[in-house]
Amino acid sequence: MCLGMVIALFSLARKQIKKLVSPECCPLRLYSQWIATIPSDLLAVSVFLVARFTNYCVFAANTNRKFNLQGEDCGNYDSWSLRLSHVVAALVFAVLMFLKLHVLSCLDLMIDDFSQQYAEDGDAERGILQWSLIQATLNQASNRLEGSFLMSFTATAAGFATLTADFVLGSVEMLERGEACAGEAGWLLQPMLMIISQGLLLIYVLLRAARISEKCDRTKQFINSLLPPPREDSCYMDTDRSYLVHYIEDSAAGFCIQGGRITVFAVMKLFYGMCALSFAIVTQGYRS
């Protein structure tokens, strides 16, 4: 998992993520609002780090207490390399998720600004030009972030796979040694909670990306609802507005990974699958 997070960070560096988080990528009128989203993005990452290190500190304290009481040799369960890998993986993963949340916040603001600008002036030709720029920005952000998303998801899935292999295929001696060193439940809950906390933050970031795709779909509905005020010579058959709505619909804009749009339904299926897999691992672990 630590190696996967480092590779994901190198992927962002190779894709030149600095072009997406620099002030030039956001319109000047939205830059102050974009900066104002940093505390909310940091909050989600901070909660993950606090939960991760709290879990590890409690596990380390229980391991030391168990070692002092029973004299078990728990060196392999609390070695310096294991501590370092936990810290590096958590910090790199937090940096990755913050950068992605920061980019997604900018994309979210740009779509809201497009709707506000069209509601104020009602210029369909200008709206087509602005939406073309938004679509190009979405495609650029998706291409630069998709590699890091795939690496992060692969590393998390590998963590679930290795944990399942330990519980299902592990020997009785290994399980008894884990119980003696970390307590009756700590050997099972500690790695599970660490992977679940990482998976929950990844799902939250995917939900933010899916919200951008959903907002692109709702934009055409919002524009279609902007009718002129009723007058004697008014006509509700606005061909310019209709063309803009069809243009947005045909563009199929949104946040994509490997050509597929991220939707809320797909992310929720992933979340329910993670919950089912976690329940199965815990059940099998306690049964073993």
Side-chain angles (χ1 to χ4, degrees):
M1 292 180 65
C2 181
L3 179 61
M5 295 306 131
V6 174
I7 294 176
L9 186 61
F10 284 155
S11 176
L12 287 183
R14 188 175 64 87
K15 293 290 186 177
Q16 297 180 352
I17 186 63
K18 60 183 180 181
K19 292 185 178 180
L20 294 179
V21 297
S22 61
E24 291 78 10
C25 73
C26 186
L28 184 60
R29 62 180 179 276
L30 299 178
Y31 184 70
S32 59
Q33 301 179 27
W34 188 31
I35 296 299
T37 61
I38 291 181
S40 61
D41 297 338
L42 280 176
L43 178 61
V45 176
S46 301
V47 170
F48 162 75
L49 288 176
V50 170
R52 187 72 175 264
F53 288 119
T54 300
N55 178 32
Y56 184 74
C57 292
V58 171
F59 172 76
N62 291 336
T63 301
N64 294 332
R65 181 175 59 85
K66 197 74 175 181
F67 173 77
N68 293 331
L69 293 178
Q70 298 184 2
E72 297 288 345
D73 184 12
C74 302
N76 294 331
Y77 287 87
D78 200 26
S79 62
W80 66 269
S81 60
L82 181 61
R83 293 180 180 181
L84 181 62
S85 64
H86 282 312
V87 172
V88 171
L91 291 178
V92 174
F93 184 75
V95 171
L96 287 171
M97 295 301 107
F98 172 73
L99 291 175
K100 295 174 183 178
L101 286 174
H102 193 48
V103 173
L104 295 175
S105 298
C106 180
L107 299 177
D108 200 343
L109 288 174
M110 292 178 66
I111 298 175
D112 290 337
D113 181 68
F114 168 80
S115 300
Q116 181 181 358
Q117 291 293 324
Y118 182 80
E120 292 177 355
D121 54 37
D123 190 351
E125 294 184 0
R126 181 182 177 186
I128 292 175
L129 178 59
Q130 290 180 343
W131 189 258
S132 299
L133 296 176
I134 291 177
Q135 184 181 2
T137 305
L138 287 173
N139 293 334
Q140 182 187 25
S142 300
N143 292 332
R144 294 183 186 275
L145 295 181
E146 65 178 3
S148 179
F149 267 116
L150 290 176
M151 289 296 177
S152 302
F153 181 77
T154 301
T156 304
F160 272 109
T162 53
L163 191 60
T164 304
D166 284 341
F167 294 153
V168 177
L169 304 178
S171 63
V172 177
E173 290 81 7
M174 185 274 293
L175 297 179
E176 292 178 351
R177 180 181 174 86
E179 290 181 1
C181 289
E184 295 181 357
W187 67 274
L188 172 62
L189 295 181
Q190 191 266 346
M192 177 63 64
L193 290 176
M194 295 179 68
I195 297 178
I196 287 178
S197 63
Q198 183 169 317
L200 288 177
L201 182 57
L202 181 59
I203 288 177
Y204 173 74
V205 177
L206 289 175
L207 279 176
R208 291 283 299 272
R211 190 175 70 175
I212 293 178
S213 300
E214 298 292 331
K215 185 169 290 188
C216 291
D217 294 334
R218 293 196 303 267
T219 300
K220 61 179 182 291
Q221 301 172 4
F222 171 75
I223 294 177
N224 198 43
S225 65
L226 295 177
L227 299 176
R231 294 180 301 179
E232 294 182 357
D233 57 345
S234 63
C235 179
Y236 292 111
M237 301 298 294
D238 191 345
T239 57
D240 293 339
R241 185 183 73 247
S242 178
Y243 183 84
L244 177 59
V245 170
H246 286 292
Y247 181 81
I248 296 175
E249 183 178 4
D250 294 338
S251 66
F255 195 89
C256 304
I257 295 180
Q258 294 295 318
R261 295 176 78 245
I262 304 298
T263 61
V264 176
F265 181 69
V267 177
M268 293 307 297
K269 287 197 301 183
L270 179 63
F271 172 72
Y272 292 141
M274 188 188 73
C275 293
L277 182 60
S278 301
F279 179 77
I281 293 176
V282 172
T283 302
Q284 182 64 32
Y286 276 107
R287 184 181 301 174
S288 300

